[in-house]
Amino acid sequence: MLADAAAMAALTAHARSVQPRTVALRRALHRHPELGLNLPRTRDAVVSALADLPLQVHLGLAVSSVVAVLDGTRPGPTVLLRGDMDALPLPEETGLDFASEVDGVMHACGHDTHVAMLCSAARLLAARRNELAGRVLFMFQPGEEGFHGARHMIDEGLLDRTGPAGRPEAAYALHISATVPSGELHVRPGPLMAAADIVRVTVSGRGGHASAPHDALDPVPAAAAMVGALQTAITRRVDTHQPVVLTIAHITAGTTNNVIPETAFMEGTLRTLSETTRTQMHEEIRRVCRYTALAHGCAAGVEIVPGYPVTINDDAATARVAALSGALLGPERVISMPNPIMGAEDFSYVLAEVPGALAFLGGCPPEVDPLGAPPNHSNRVIFDEDALANGVAVYAALALDALRR
């Protein structure tokens, strides 16, 4: 394991020396965010940032992905490092000098920092090629924000033995967090983030005049009853030790005040931390909605759109992240998370295939109370750019550790 204090200090110093380059790339990406799976400007910025390094660069066919491979000087395994690239459909209100110049689009989840950190980590590792027995696969992926970008890259052969770098034996990702103090790294083995599915329900009845509901089959009370019945199903049908969050966030029906509509529509999100509970809740949602609708003389059509699976960190990989980050940042700054979070992450697709870990990098500015800081996905979120050097060093240390052993 890379635990030599002098080597760690040198790695940290190198990360800080390239900080101007890291920040410049981050700000350029922040000014010009892109959404979804087609990110041509971001892709080209990544290719340009890597152009002077001894990397084999492969561009995605169906999506704007970039895969770069650094070969060490000796044979050995492959380690994967991921950085996601897409932004969110939010109007930025940070007041930053380098705020988004694209109306209604903003890097509100810090993916611009992930790309910049991974590019600089590639620079650190390229300078240490002679120390690598194996290869590093840098995964720059579009479409993390609900577009299944990682799955698209896997479908194009990212993890295949015949892929760009052969099948990886370990995979790591960092995610910056605006509510974690800068300088800290938060880790957790096992389930880290939830599976997230979309639930859509259409309740069908018979329209009529609002003054004579007995002559109609009103879908609105049926939909309203479903909301409460679904929450009751969680408390009465699911083991209390299995976390479930079901939120109905959108309900719509009707066109005016005196017409009973024919249909009511509602949709929301289901979050679970195990595939068993996820499957059970799919069945419960369909059952509850169907029979609640029938009790009101209506019918219910239920659509459940599968989202990202549970993000599960490998125990040994998580311990490695904690040990290396402790050596770089100080052991007191590596925090073990007591509980998973119910957000979702499409790095879960990679971790389902390759043992590895995702960790949260502190990005809350020192002058801001983390408890009151605008969080990721807020249009006022601000990340401490000094944290980027920490991420660069951690990324590089993970690859060096994996390929020196």
Side-chain angles (χ1 to χ4, degrees), residues 122-176:
R123 189 163 298 277
L124 266 61
L125 290 165
R128 293 165 172 79
R129 278 189 68 210
N130 291 337
E131 302 175 30
L132 303 178
R135 65 203 60 79
V136 186
L137 189 159
F138 300 95
M139 174 188 178
F140 295 91
Q141 71 144 96
E144 192 283 324
E145 296 292 353
F147 293 90
H148 303 263
R151 190 185 67 197
H152 284 286
M153 292 184 72
I154 292 170
D155 289 345
E156 286 195 351
L158 175 74
L159 305 180
D160 293 349
R161 294 195 179 277
T162 57
R167 186 169 181 82
E169 294 188 10
Y172 298 99
L174 298 178
H175 201 304
I176 199 166

Side-chain angles (χ1 to χ4, degrees), residues 103 122 174 229 329 350 372:
D103 289 342
L174 298 178
L329 309 177
V350 175

Side-chain angles (χ1 to χ4, degrees), residues 79-390:
V79 60
L80 180 152
L81 303 177
R82 192 286 302 259
D84 39 4
M85 303 191 293
D86 56 323
L88 285 161
L90 291 175
E92 181 162 354
E93 296 184 19
T94 61
L96 294 170
D97 293 340
F98 52 91
S100 172
E101 298 175 11
V102 182
D103 289 342
V105 184
M106 175 192 176
H107 268 296
C109 202
H111 295 185
D112 51 338
T113 72
H114 301 168
V115 173
M117 288 188 292
L118 193 55
C119 285
S120 287
R123 189 163 298 277
L124 266 61
L125 290 165
R128 293 165 172 79
R129 278 189 68 210
N130 291 337
E131 302 175 30
L132 303 178
R135 65 203 60 79
V136 186
L137 189 159
F138 300 95
M139 174 188 178
F140 295 91
Q141 71 144 96
E144 192 283 324
E145 296 292 353
F147 293 90
H148 303 263
R151 190 185 67 197
H152 284 286
M153 292 184 72
I154 292 170
D155 289 345
E156 286 195 351
L158 175 74
L159 305 180
D160 293 349
R161 294 195 179 277
T162 57
R167 186 169 181 82
E169 294 188 10
Y172 298 99
L174 298 178
H175 201 304
I176 199 166
S177 173
T179 55
V180 171
S182 186
E184 291 186 2
L185 193 96
H186 290 200
V187 296
R188 186 181 193 278
L192 177 74
M193 300 181 73
D197 302 321
I198 298 171
V199 177
R200 298 189 179 111
V201 182
T202 300
V203 185
S204 301
R206 185 174 67 246
H209 199 287
S211 66
H214 58 284
D215 290 332
L217 291 175
D218 193 344
V220 175
M226 285 177 197
V227 176
L230 287 168
Q231 299 304 320
T232 300
I234 293 173
T235 65
R236 291 297 176 267
R237 299 287 293 169
V238 179
D239 188 330
T240 56
H241 297 95
Q242 296 296 324
V244 175
V245 175
L246 174 59
T247 298
I248 301 300
H250 175 208
I251 301 179
T252 184
T255 56
T256 188
N257 68 307
N258 62 349
V259 175
I260 293 173
E262 286 192 351
T263 62
F265 174 78
M266 63 184 194
E267 65 179 341
T269 179
L270 170 70
R271 309 290 174 125
T272 53
L273 286 174
S274 79
E275 288 301 321
T276 299
T277 304
R278 187 184 192 187
T279 300
Q280 179 187 0
M281 280 305 303
H282 287 191
E283 295 171 354
E284 290 294 327
I285 290 167
R286 291 188 174 94
R287 181 183 60 81
V288 167
C289 291
R290 177 187 177 191
Y291 287 106
T292 302
L294 285 172
H296 288 77
C298 299
V302 179
E303 178 188 18
I304 300 177
V305 182
Y308 300 157
V310 183
T311 302
I312 302 176
N313 280 347
D314 176 77
D315 290 358
T318 306
R320 194 165 297 126
V321 173
L324 291 168
S325 300
L328 284 164
L329 309 177
E332 74 283 356
R333 293 187 171 184
V334 177
I335 309 300
S336 179
M337 298 168 59
N339 300 303
I341 63 174
M342 301 306 282
E345 181 29 277
D346 82 342
F347 194 56
S348 55
Y349 288 119
V350 175
L351 295 182
E353 301 285 338
V354 180
L358 181 148
F360 293 103
L361 177 71
C364 181
E367 68 276 9
V368 177
D369 180 359
L371 296 177
N376 291 35
H377 287 224
S378 165
N379 60 352
R380 293 182 174 84
V381 66
I382 293 178
F383 299 102
D384 178 28
E385 290 183 325
D386 287 344
L388 304 190
N390 294 332

